[in-house]
Amino acid sequence: MFSLSPEEQQIIGLSLKVAATATVFSLPPGVALAYLLSRADFPGKALLSGLTHLPLILPPVVTGYALLLLFGRNGPLGRLLDPLGIVFAFDWTGAALAAAVMGFPLMVRAIRLSFDLVDSRIERAAETLGARPLIRFLTITLPLALPGVAAGAVLGFAKALGEFGATITFVANIPGETRTLPLAIYSLIQVPGGEAAALRLVFISVGVSIGALLISEWGARAATRRLAGMG
Amino acid sequence: MLDVSAHIVRGDFALEVSFSSDARITCLFGRSGAGKTTVAEVVAGLVRPSCGRVMLNGEALLDSDTGQSVPVWKRRIGYVFQDARLFPHMTVRDNLLYGPRRSGDPDPALDEAVALLGLEGLLERGPSSLSGGEARRVAIGRALLSRPRLLILDEPLAGLDGARRGDILPYLDRLAREGPPILYVSHAVEEVARLADRVVLVSDGRAVGAEPPDAAFDRPEAEAAAGLTAPLSVLDGRVIAHDPERDATRVDLAGTAFLAPLLHVVPGDRLRVVVDAREVALALTDPVDASFQNRLPMEVAALEVRSDGVLVRLEAGGLRMKALVTRQASEQLGLAPGRRVIALVKATAAARYA
């Protein structure tokens, strides 16, 4: 039977923890930024949109190196956060940060599209009924965009689960700390005789991905059904 | 009291607005595309004019001189959009209660609104399952429940077929009697004639002055603007009695008894009768053996020669009526101001607007 070794369990657990943390922490700013890009008109909007998409275009190694320069122990942001007890360098939190940054453009893009599809005339109707902007957003815009928000979160999660280049550049490949599934597979391939173990992890990786996809699909459908049932 | 004066520019479209009205129902009346909705949107705060002032009950909602502008959600102006705009992710009930929940209204008049608009049985339904007429009624109820100081109805009957109109019209009549003041946007003469206390004619980039419907329809631009094919007399009266045997209702029009088709209204109720000027014939002596049920002694007040004939303005006590006759007929009768004539109106020619 196919049973997981303690080491494999630990790799999977770390991968899920990193991806989930990355998704949970990037979702609120992702939603906010997506809404801003969808609805607001301000100088520098194109620039902000471009910056958001930068990690998608840059080689992941470059993004990872930029993170290292910024958030490393001697980086300007790293030094700023260190006294607060927030450390990213060579820590699993750094892997989560790298995964979040890499998944952010995909997430924002999907959510922004769903905001674009929400009829702004319906939002105006809510205003005439006394809804101030924040309430209008929470009661009308966000519920109507929920399927898209869920899709964005899934994309971000999937990207986080598979992130490699930026992670290994930023926080290296430390067993039990930053060695997620892709990094573990890469390490095993580098060692002679590691192919069999690598193949096991490849299958596990496929399984985890499909599982995550099914759960998200189910979640999105439940959210859509809830909206349809209410509407 | 609604007081609007504004200059609106949108692209190459400019509109000069200036009117004030404390009527129960003020109609913005004009052709499609004349800018009626834009005026309503300025009042609601959905559109900002280049400059101007909007006052409601003495409170400045917009004043470009002081830079003051009350945001839409604080104005407490209900807006029933042409396309209903119900919230698709909520039931009818949640749509109706959206306004009260925002204001924290502890005792929303849901039951009254449901009864007023006939929404029983719709409450748990979703907006996508409603017919056009039902959706409009829900939209009206939703706006009403937010306890607005002014209710804007944008073409509430447009796009509905005859039966669906019949669905909504009685509710509008009740709303007019029991609800908040209404700003009613319409391009349809019959609706305006039926409902308006004051009319603001929107035409050629101008919306100036709120007048009684009779006066508004009397303007030359009203005919061109509103697809009026002939001048109309808009007459306010009161029901005296029904005469079911003759299928008729007797109406008191400013002291003159008038016979109209049988109406389902209670004696004593106010009633509005609209008469097309082409349907009014004139005689010098009373033709007792003719079919005209209304033979009203009146006096010629003024004559206007037009391209399609002569418009004769008639008066009898407080009653004013218009007749459109050919120039030849006018000459034969020797019509002139001060001349006494009998105005002949078939009962069936009187369109009834409660």
Side-chain angles (χ1 to χ4, degrees):
Chain A
M1 257 323 279
F2 196 89
S3 67
L4 299 172
S5 71
E7 203 186 359
E8 286 167 342
Q9 288 179 18
Q10 196 251 347
I11 290 169
I12 295 168
L14 178 68
S15 288
L16 291 176
K17 182 168 77 167
V18 164
T21 307
T23 308
V24 165
F25 279 90
S26 56
L27 195 55
V31 168
L33 186 61
Y35 185 69
L36 202 66
L37 291 175
S38 172
R39 287 297 148 83
D41 229 346
F42 52 92
K45 182 172 164 176
L47 188 69
L48 184 64
S49 177
L51 276 175
T52 310
H53 286 97
L54 211 51
L56 206 60
I57 305 148
L58 285 176
V61 179
V62 173
T63 306
Y65 190 58
L67 286 173
L68 187 61
L69 291 179
L70 285 170
F71 289 95
R73 289 220 179 269
N74 295 316
L77 291 172
R79 245 180 311 190
L80 210 67
L81 294 170
D82 197 40
L84 303 172
I86 303 170
V87 176
F88 289 113
F90 307 109
D91 197 275
W92 74 270
T93 50
L97 176 63
V101 167
M102 293 302 290
F104 198 62
L106 292 170
M107 183 186 269
V108 169
R109 211 176 164 71
I111 299 175
R112 177 186 178 173
L113 281 176
S114 71
F115 280 141
D116 285 345
L117 287 177
V118 173
D119 191 344
S120 64
R121 293 172 309 165
I122 286 182
E123 297 173 312
R124 303 316 301 264
E127 276 179 63
T128 65
L129 295 166
R132 60 198 162 89
L134 179 66
I135 297 295
R136 185 195 67 204
F137 175 77
L138 291 176
T139 57
I140 305 294
T141 319
L142 192 57
L144 287 175
L146 210 53
V149 174
V154 169
L155 270 175
F157 185 80
K159 177 70 193 165
L161 213 51
E163 215 308 307
F164 178 81
T167 309
I168 202 166
T169 313
F170 179 31
V171 289
N173 186 357
I174 308 165
E177 196 63 57
T178 64
R179 183 172 290 175
T180 56
L181 262 170
L183 271 65
I185 293 170
Y186 170 76
S187 306
L188 284 169
I189 295 170
Q190 299 299 304
V191 193
E195 286 89 350
L199 200 61
R200 277 175 66 87
L201 283 184
V202 166
F203 280 119
I204 291 169
S205 180
V206 170
V208 168
S209 302
I210 289 177
L213 212 63
L214 286 179
I215 290 173
S216 66
E217 192 76 14
W218 170 81
R221 213 174 300 165
T224 312
R225 217 183 2 249
R226 197 172 67 88
L227 289 178
M230 285 164 84
Chain B
M1 182 75 178
L2 176 64
D3 201 322
V4 185
S5 65
H7 187 67
I8 304 161
V9 178
R10 279 185 132 183
D12 55 0
F13 174 78
L15 191 60
E16 196 64 50
V17 189
S18 163
F19 68 90
S20 76
S21 169
D22 57 357
R24 299 230 7 99
I25 301 192
T26 306
C27 277
L28 290 167
F29 174 60
R31 201 183 355 207
S32 300
K36 307 182 293 289
T37 296
T38 306
V39 176
E41 286 175 334
V42 164
V43 172
L46 296 168
V47 165
R48 212 172 165 155
S50 320
C51 63
R53 211 161 48 98
V54 177
M55 306 271 291
L56 181 62
N57 304 336
E59 184 200 336
L61 299 178
L62 174 85
D63 192 336
S64 58
D65 288 343
T66 62
Q68 183 184 16
S69 176
V70 177
V72 176
W73 59 275
K74 272 189 186 168
R75 290 198 178 191
R76 292 187 50 219
I77 293 179
Y79 202 122
V80 178
F81 298 92
Q82 233 184 100
D83 48 353
R85 302 192 193 181
L86 300 180
F87 305 132
H89 58 304
M90 298 180 190
T91 60
V92 167
R93 179 193 299 277
D94 287 332
N95 266 281
L96 290 171
L97 290 175
Y98 190 86
R101 282 177 184 151
R102 302 290 80 78
S103 62
D105 185 348
D107 183 28
L110 183 64
D111 294 342
E112 285 105 282
V114 166
L116 178 74
L117 294 160
L119 304 176
E120 301 90 352
L122 301 181
L123 286 176
E124 307 311 324
R125 303 243 308 259
S128 57
S129 72
L130 301 177
S131 72
E134 287 168 340
R136 297 257 170 104
R137 265 150 52 201
V138 173
I140 293 171
R142 182 177 69 173
L144 211 52
L145 278 169
S146 67
R147 296 194 194 278
R149 296 181 290 178
L150 174 74
L151 184 62
I152 296 176
L153 301 175
D154 190 355
E155 302 270 11
L157 299 178
L160 299 179
D161 59 35
R164 296 280 89 77
R165 276 164 187 262
D167 258 11
I168 290 192
L169 267 171
Y171 297 117
L172 289 183
D173 288 338
R174 283 166 76 181
L175 199 60
R177 285 194 299 270
E178 300 165 27
I182 291 172
L183 186 62
Y184 191 103
V185 177
S186 179
H187 70 280
V189 179
E190 13 359 314
E191 289 169 40
V192 176
R194 171 173 177 151
L195 293 164
D197 297 315
R198 287 288 180 278
V199 176
V200 179
L201 193 64
V202 185
S203 155
D204 296 326
R206 281 166 55 85
V208 177
E211 307 165 295
D214 198 40
F217 287 157
D218 218 6
R219 286 166 171 271
E221 63 261 37
E223 285 176 49
L228 274 181
T229 47
L232 293 180
S233 303
V234 182
L235 311 169
D236 282 308
R238 201 168 281 281
V239 180
I240 305 170
H242 293 303
D243 190 347
E245 275 170 32
R246 291 202 293 167
D247 280 346
T249 295
R250 208 164 277 285
V251 184
D252 171 52
L253 295 177
T256 304
F258 188 89
L259 204 68
L262 187 62
L263 307 167
H264 297 284
V265 282
V266 183
D269 269 5
R270 280 189 50 202
L271 184 85
R272 184 167 278 170
V273 175
V274 177
V275 181
D276 188 321
R278 289 171 305 188
E279 302 282 350
V280 181
L282 300 177
L284 294 179
T285 54
D286 194 348
V288 284
D289 53 355
S291 75
F292 297 102
Q293 291 301 299
N294 294 295
R295 304 192 303 276
L296 315 172
M298 300 188 86
E299 190 179 302
V300 176
L303 293 175
E304 265 168 51
V305 179
R306 303 159 37 114
S307 59
D308 54 351
V310 178
L311 183 68
V312 187
R313 294 178 185 280
L314 304 161
E315 282 186 13
L319 179 66
R320 289 153 191 269
M321 197 151 39
K322 285 166 249 179
L324 187 63
V325 298
T326 58
R327 196 187 291 218
Q328 195 179 0
S330 168
E331 280 162 11
Q332 277 171 4
L333 294 181
L335 295 183
R339 181 129 178 119
R340 304 201 57 84
V341 293
I342 310 289
L344 306 170
V345 188
K346 294 162 69 178
T348 50
R352 165 268 159 151
Y353 304 101

